[in-house]
């Protein structure tokens, strides 16, 4: 029997702003360095479009969470490389 304490969290357990941050983060395209193939992070050029598309009211909070997610994800990609 799986231990519920060790299961991955589902998105619905997070506050609305965190859910929005994950959804928008997943929509932003990744940037890669052409010669070495190094991960450079997300391309934030379309952030305004996605904020409007998903009717985000608290933009500052959602951007804060997206930057936190990107930080963890970038570290994960660097460790993986």
């Amino acid at each position: 029997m799986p231990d519920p304490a060790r299961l991955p969290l589902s998105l619905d357990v997070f506050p609305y702003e965190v859910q929005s941050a994950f959804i928008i983060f997943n929509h932003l395209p990744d940037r890669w360095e052409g010669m070495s193939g190094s991960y450079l992070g997300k391309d934030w050029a379309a952030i305004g479009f996605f904020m409007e598309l998903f009717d985000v009211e608290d933009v500052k909070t959602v951007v804060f969470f997206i930057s936190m997610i990107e930080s963890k994800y970038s570290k994960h990609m660097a460790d993986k490389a």
Side-chain angles (χ1 to χ4, degrees):
M1 175 99 176
D3 180 6
R6 298 190 66 200
L7 292 175
L9 297 174
S10 62
L11 195 57
D12 63 337
V13 301
F14 293 104
Y16 176 75
E17 291 80 11
V18 176
Q19 293 178 33
S20 298
F22 274 110
I23 291 167
I24 292 172
F25 177 81
N26 288 329
H27 279 81
L28 294 175
D30 292 323
R31 292 182 304 134
W32 297 88
E33 200 281 318
M35 296 297 287
S36 69
S38 299
Y39 180 72
L40 300 174
K42 291 290 187 174
D43 182 354
W44 286 65
I47 192 77
F49 170 77
F50 288 116
M51 291 288 183
E52 187 175 323
L53 180 68
F54 294 112
D55 293 323
V56 173
E57 292 179 14
D58 190 353
V59 173
K60 287 182 182 180
T61 301
V62 172
V63 167
F64 170 78
F65 285 121
I66 292 172
S67 64
M68 295 284 90
I69 295 166
E70 182 176 30
S71 173
K72 296 290 185 184
Y73 187 72
S74 293
K75 183 178 178 343
H76 167 74
M77 292 299 281
D79 291 346
K80 194 171 143 181

